[in-house]
Amino acid sequence: MAASESMTAAVLTGYGEPPTVQRRPRPTPATGQVLVRVSAAPITPLDLLCASGGSYLGPPALPYVPGVQGVGTLADGSGVWFPTHAGLAPGDGGLAGYAAVAVADLVPLPDGVDHRLIAALGYSAVAAWSALTLRGGLRPGEDVLILGASGTVGQAGVQIARLVGARRITAAARSAAAAERLRALGADAVVPLRADDDVPGLADRLREAAGGPVDLVLDPLFGVPAAAALRVLRPGGRLVNLGSSAGATAPIDSATLRGGSLRVLGYTNNELTGQQRAAALVAIAGHAHAGRLTVDHQVRPLDEVAAAWQAQADGTAGARIVVTLV
């Protein structure tokens, strides 16, 4: 295989194991596809889930190149964000020098935008944007509570709520060190989440920090934090859930739901149309390019992908890891 016909890629050869760097044939685009030279791709929770072999869709065929999203350039030098089905369906993903992507799935990026930042934002920012605006119906002047705010979705959510015009934004996070960072990103108040929190006590602390009831809760946690947050919603308020990192179930009581005529809404990126996803990404990229939207992230070269993958899997990375390919 000639060097010009091959590329370097992260390749998964065993479930639950980090990928290794290998030479692979450069993909040949099928009808309706185009070749993207990948510049950066994140390691995401979905990548880790698929690679574990325990995904609800079943174990993917090995070997394959992971990476459910990426950022790169077309032959004319224009920048694009792209999704892949790596780990979800047969085919390779974004953690490689090149990716064959459906033309209809490409999202154009502003000239000069930081590809590493767009990779870090990616689907997480899309989830925050769409959960707040499309699913949650956030309107200017409303008060917002962001749970799990130190994570990528939460950080993006704080800034997006401010961009949309929220009046007051309260953030809640387990990391005490995150408080200063979240205030810098736009949070008016930050509430520490504790392992021994109970629903009434946490609800009191959230309500005090928020200065009263809130209109909308962005919840990537569920569990006790979600149940407490429901008690802070004003009548007719909405909680949008998009994760369960604090618990698969939550001790929600009927009286709270009925008494406030509250709405608990589930959200997943899978419900978005291609047009909705592209519109969210165009808005996100525009704000990022203008310096109005960012998230904490680490940048690692491809030759460190095994260590980076393990750090993300162990939860020791401290931030979203973005792998650079060029």
Side-chain angles (χ1 to χ4, degrees), residues 74-96:
L74 302 178
D76 63 2
S78 58
V80 293
W81 176 94
F82 63 90
T84 83
H85 299 291
L88 304 168
D92 289 332
L95 283 165

Side-chain angles (χ1 to χ4, degrees), residues 7 207 241 291 321:
M7 64 180 182
R207 189 179 301 106
N241 174 262
I321 294 179

Side-chain angles (χ1 to χ4, degrees), residues 155-175:
Q155 289 178 50
V158 167
Q159 298 164 87
I160 290 166
R162 182 66 68 203
L163 289 167
V164 173
R167 186 187 75 89
R168 182 175 175 83
I169 301 166
T170 303
R174 294 202 183 280
S175 169

